[in-house]
Amino acid sequence: MRYESILVMSLILGSVRLSFSQESAPNISFEPQHLLTLSSGISSHTVRDEMMSPLLYSGTQVPLAFTYRFRGVDNRHTVLLYFDNTELHSSITRSIRDVAVSHYIKNLHLMFEYSFATGAVVFENLNTACFLGARLTGILNLRNHYVLQDKNHMSAEQMTGVGIHVLTETALQQESQNLLRIEINIPCISYVLLADRYNANVSEKLDNIDFDQNLLWQLFKKGDIVSFNTLFEIQADVSYSVFVTDHIGFDLQYRLLYYSFAQYQDLFHARVLSNQFLLGLTVRL
Amino acid sequence: MNTMKRSFSILIVLLAVYGCDTMFFEPDPANTPEDNFEILWKDFDRYYAQFALRHIDWDSVYAVYRPQISPATTDRELFAALSSIVLGINDMHVTLYTPMGDVYWKSRMPASYPSRRIINACKYIQCGPPQNGLFEYRTCQDPAIGYMIIPTFSGQGEGLTMADSRYLAIDEILSQWRGMKGIIIDVRGNSGGNSINAETVAGRFADQTRVYSYRRQKIGPGKDNFSSWKTSSVEPKGIYQFLKPVVVLTSRATSSSAEMFVMAMQVLPNVTIVGDTTGGGVGNPIFRELPNGWAYRLSTEMEADAQGRIIEGVGVFPDVPVVTTAADSANGIDRILEKGIETIRMSP
């Protein structure tokens, strides 16, 4: 699966490289900029959570995302907040209205990111600057699986990871502020919550939690530090920014997020694939 | 023009990736009688935690039933085979849900089992109009003794909050009952729900943090892949803890999270458990489903009380064993409640 993911990324990179290789050599502006973008569009989630079902569940939803970007002379900073709440169906989902014969999942997906990258190399003949850095990513994927009437159970992953972040920016025309960005992030070390609870119904079993105290802090203390043996995750973004005035522009973004998480070896894998097409309004301060 | 070509080529790649679910996921299993049987059998093989405890040779179950399943097997035949398997496990948390009906092992309660509910209520408590809250609470005929029925521990909070705030009503009740000599809590008909709610209530009677149970969970596909034993504790909760005598009434119908409540209360020095042995199943079940739409649940852990006694299939033993017989019931006598009241009265 990892090799397939890498293959996809290679295809994207290769395609973009071929697309722009014959362009003349414009200059990319690196004047410091603050960019705020509010985005929405369509997201598609596909989940196979072995704790819940042997079946694939998938669905689409309208997400909401907010991005702040800082484009410095040499550095890039990005903060992203993302939210969607998707209803996922499987091959045996019949009618959402009739819970007695339905099988579906309500999937809450929250994401927070902070990326930092510094200029590594410029390919002038490709009009492309390449940045290397790190990304801090926090993801909450909370699933409520409705099996039968009055029967539902929950499962969740909450992971906060630090990973390698690669960013390329390509200008389409000389002196243009319209940029094509490609970003790839692979978390290397993550802190995962609900650690020893994953094989149980998490809605019923969170021991030693004092509900009179700060719940988030107590949950946070129950995590595990994991790496590739437990969690494999990849995020890939392709986005294109077009400015119609000096301060107003649009941002078209595609994101692929995939992770495979297993709390215990060979038991209860959760695999989640998220595709997001977002169109955003960008304000340059 | 070049820009158009570039954009188009990127769009093609993105659309290809967008529809690439099959690259990341294997296809769903087929909806055939054999696949449905295999999935259920393998799920139990990997996730079920109590085979050894219940002396079940799961491989022999496969050897007996698998030859009965073929592509020609009808839904009713498959239902008969899976029902037989489920019933043979003898676990109250193992259930098969189908359009042809739900199949689950019923506890060892006889058909007529008067111990599960209050009998001739107005003889023992001060009756009044129905109460709307989660708890039903009144005073006994002796107004120095409070009586409370907790019918369920079901319900959960919003979002990531696991506790159901309705159970915090216990604080208001106890503040009214501060002057009581003692309290009787009736969970004879409580079939469980959310153990966090059980701990929420139990904490209102705790003087200090005490371990009340041990559990271990299935953490791998092998039959012996269990976690180490972990503890569950009850600790003081709420603004006020009632530390005077408390009696908890139990029966065979007291099960699942209600048994955790009983175990939590049993370790408290001011609490006496009166009644029948509880149902005997904590199990922490998970739900599963088959490609044909049927669903089932199975236990993923086993639980022991504070003394290390496994309660799965056994139950929690009361401190004072009492049952209400059919003859008692016919004569309007609630033997268990009478013993509870007597226990409070006799307490110092």
Side-chain angles (χ1 to χ4, degrees):
Chain A
M1 193 63 70
R2 294 180 193 187
Y3 300 115
E4 291 168 339
S5 306
I6 292 167
L7 179 63
V8 170
M9 294 309 110
S10 303
L11 271 174
I12 295 172
L13 287 169
S15 168
V16 171
R17 185 186 185 285
L18 287 172
S19 297
F20 295 97
S21 58
Q22 295 174 7
E23 188 67 66
S24 58
N27 295 320
I28 300 170
S29 169
F30 289 116
E31 293 174 8
Q33 298 172 353
H34 299 274
L35 304 165
L36 300 175
T37 305
L38 187 63
S39 307
S40 187
I42 185 168
S43 69
S44 164
H45 286 291
T46 305
V47 173
R48 176 172 278 148
D49 183 349
E50 291 181 357
M51 194 198 83
M52 293 185 153
S53 174
L55 304 176
L56 273 179
Y57 278 80
S58 60
T60 56
Q61 181 58 281
V62 178
L64 194 61
F66 172 78
T67 311
Y68 163 74
R69 293 180 191 277
F70 173 73
R71 296 185 70 230
V73 176
D74 296 315
N75 300 326
R76 298 290 182 269
H77 298 262
T78 306
V79 175
L80 170 76
L81 300 172
Y82 175 92
F83 161 82
D84 73 46
N85 195 8
T86 311
E87 199 162 83
L88 309 179
H89 297 181
S90 74
S91 59
I92 60 174
T93 302
R94 294 190 180 95
S95 166
I96 292 302
R97 304 286 168 242
D98 185 358
V99 179
V101 292
S102 285
H103 302 254
Y104 67 99
I105 291 174
K106 292 287 285 186
N107 189 111
L108 173 66
H109 189 75
L110 296 173
M111 195 152 52
F112 165 80
E113 287 175 11
Y114 167 68
S115 308
F116 168 77
T118 189
V121 62
V122 175
F123 301 101
E124 295 208 0
N125 59 332
L126 296 175
N127 316 317
T128 299
C130 188
F131 300 81
L132 279 176
R135 176 181 285 180
L136 175 73
T137 310
I139 295 176
L140 170 66
N141 202 294
L142 180 68
R143 297 179 289 277
N144 206 342
H145 185 203
Y146 293 85
V147 185
L148 297 163
Q149 193 163 25
D150 298 328
K151 301 281 188 301
N152 64 294
H153 63 146
M154 292 174 69
S155 177
E157 292 93 40
Q158 200 293 316
M159 53 199 69
T160 304
V162 176
I164 301 165
H165 178 57
V166 179
L167 163 67
T168 67
E169 289 182 348
T170 303
L172 295 182
Q173 297 167 334
Q174 279 189 330
E175 302 294 340
S176 174
Q177 296 299 316
N178 301 341
L179 293 175
L180 180 79
R181 289 188 200 86
I182 298 173
E183 298 172 68
I184 295 177
N185 177 57
I186 300 176
C188 303
I189 296 177
S190 298
Y191 186 71
V192 181
L193 303 192
L194 300 171
D196 61 352
R197 283 289 157 225
Y198 196 75
N199 73 332
N201 184 338
V202 297
S203 67
E204 289 192 1
K205 294 292 289 180
L206 273 170
D207 292 354
N208 306 324
I209 294 276
D210 186 344
F211 293 93
D212 298 331
Q213 302 298 316
N214 187 318
L215 183 63
L216 286 177
W217 173 239
Q218 292 178 85
L219 286 172
F220 187 77
K221 290 191 293 185
K222 286 179 169 288
D224 271 347
I225 295 175
V226 304
S227 190
F228 294 115
N229 58 334
T230 299
L231 171 67
F232 173 72
E233 179 182 346
I234 184 166
Q235 302 163 10
D237 302 78
V238 180
S239 61
Y240 179 53
S241 301
V242 181
F243 279 89
V244 292
T245 71
D246 283 346
H247 296 284
I248 303 295
F250 295 97
D251 192 81
L252 182 64
Q253 181 180 17
Y254 167 75
R255 159 166 287 198
L256 180 143
L257 165 68
Y258 171 80
Y259 68 78
S260 173
F261 173 69
Q263 181 60 47
Y264 302 109
Q265 191 174 12
D266 295 328
L267 198 68
F268 297 126
H269 283 267
R271 296 183 177 91
V272 174
L273 173 67
S274 177
N275 289 284
Q276 300 152 16
F277 276 110
L278 302 175
L279 177 62
L281 179 66
T282 299
V283 176
R284 181 161 52 201
L285 302 180
Chain B
M1 198 62 185
N2 279 342
T3 304
M4 288 284 287
K5 283 181 181 176
R6 294 166 199 147
S7 304
F8 185 72
S9 63
I10 293 170
L11 188 64
I12 292 295
V13 171
L14 295 183
L15 287 175
V17 174
Y18 189 75
C20 66
D21 288 4
T22 54
M23 205 170 67
F24 291 90
F25 299 97
E26 294 171 357
D28 277 349
N31 179 15
T32 64
E34 295 119 306
D35 274 19
N36 284 308
F37 177 90
E38 291 280 351
I39 289 169
L40 183 137
W41 186 88
K42 285 177 183 170
D43 273 0
F44 274 85
D45 191 54
R46 290 166 63 87
Y47 307 137
Y48 188 66
Q50 300 179 12
F51 285 130
L53 190 66
R54 296 176 187 277
H55 309 292
I56 294 170
D57 182 348
W58 194 238
D59 293 330
S60 72
V61 170
Y62 187 91
V64 169
Y65 287 95
R66 181 63 182 87
Q68 300 176 21
I69 310 299
S70 71
T73 299
T74 64
D75 276 358
R76 192 152 290 282
E77 290 167 338
L78 182 65
F79 174 74
L82 299 186
S83 299
S84 180
I85 292 171
V86 164
L87 290 172
I89 297 173
N90 285 345
D91 183 342
M92 70 169 68
H93 282 122
V94 172
T95 308
L96 177 67
Y97 304 96
T98 79
M100 284 169 270
D102 298 345
V103 179
Y104 55 92
W105 177 78
K106 295 181 175 61
S107 71
R108 289 145 291 174
M109 286 184 293
S112 172
Y113 182 64
S115 294
R116 76 172 77 184
R117 66 178 73 87
I118 186 169
I119 292 165
N120 201 4
C122 295
K123 176 182 174 184
Y124 301 101
I125 64 174
Q126 296 181 3
C127 291
Q131 296 170 323
N132 294 325
L134 183 65
F135 305 100
E136 185 170 348
Y137 63 103
R138 304 176 189 281
T139 54
C140 291
Q141 293 300 346
D142 177 351
I145 301 175
Y147 172 80
M148 178 195 306
I149 295 177
I150 305 179
T152 181
F153 284 115
S154 63
Q156 64 188 57
E158 298 293 322
L160 278 175
T161 305
M162 304 303 171
D164 187 335
S165 57
R166 293 178 302 157
Y167 289 85
L168 298 179
I170 186 72
D171 287 330
E172 173 63 23
I173 298 170
L174 293 182
S175 69
Q176 294 176 24
W177 284 358
R178 279 178 186 240
M180 292 284 184
K181 176 177 176 58
I183 294 174
I184 295 171
I185 301 174
D186 192 341
V187 292
R188 285 181 286 180
N190 190 324
S191 58
N194 183 344
S195 60
I196 290 166
N197 295 327
E199 288 184 5
T200 296
V201 177
R204 269 63 188 179
F205 302 93
D207 60 335
Q208 63 184 67
T209 301
R210 297 172 187 271
V211 171
Y212 72 85
S213 81
Y214 299 88
R215 69 192 185 283
R216 62 175 186 167
Q217 303 152 330
K218 201 73 167 35
I219 58 169
K223 288 182 173 52
D224 298 320
N225 290 147
F226 285 97
S227 69
S228 58
W229 288 98
K230 300 172 185 176
T231 60
S232 296
S233 301
V234 58
E235 58 188 3
K237 289 182 178 175
I239 53 174
Y240 166 70
Q241 291 82 44
F242 189 91
L243 302 180
K244 296 178 188 177
V246 176
V247 164
V248 178
L249 307 184
T250 59
S251 80
R252 279 286 178 196
T254 307
S255 52
S256 196
S257 297
E259 294 181 274
M260 299 188 76
F261 174 75
V262 174
M263 287 190 288
M265 295 294 281
Q266 196 165 34
V267 299
L268 304 179
N270 55 322
V271 177
T272 307
I273 311 298
V274 174
D276 203 355
T277 304
T278 62
V282 173
N284 207 10
I286 59 171
F287 285 95
R288 306 283 298 162
E289 59 191 3
L290 294 172
N292 65 359
W294 298 0
Y296 49 100
R297 64 175 187 167
L298 54 94
S299 306
T300 58
E301 71 174 33
M302 61 175 73
E303 195 101 6
D305 67 11
Q307 283 72 47
R309 295 174 298 204
I310 300 283
I311 69 153
E312 307 290 350
V314 180
V316 181
F317 298 116
D319 303 316
V320 182
V322 189
V323 295
T324 302
T325 65
D328 291 333
S329 177
N331 292 321
I333 298 171
D334 189 330
R335 194 69 69 186
I336 296 175
L337 179 53
E338 285 188 357
K339 192 67 181 177
I341 293 170
E342 179 191 334
T343 302
I344 297 284
R345 282 185 175 150
M346 299 290 287
S347 59

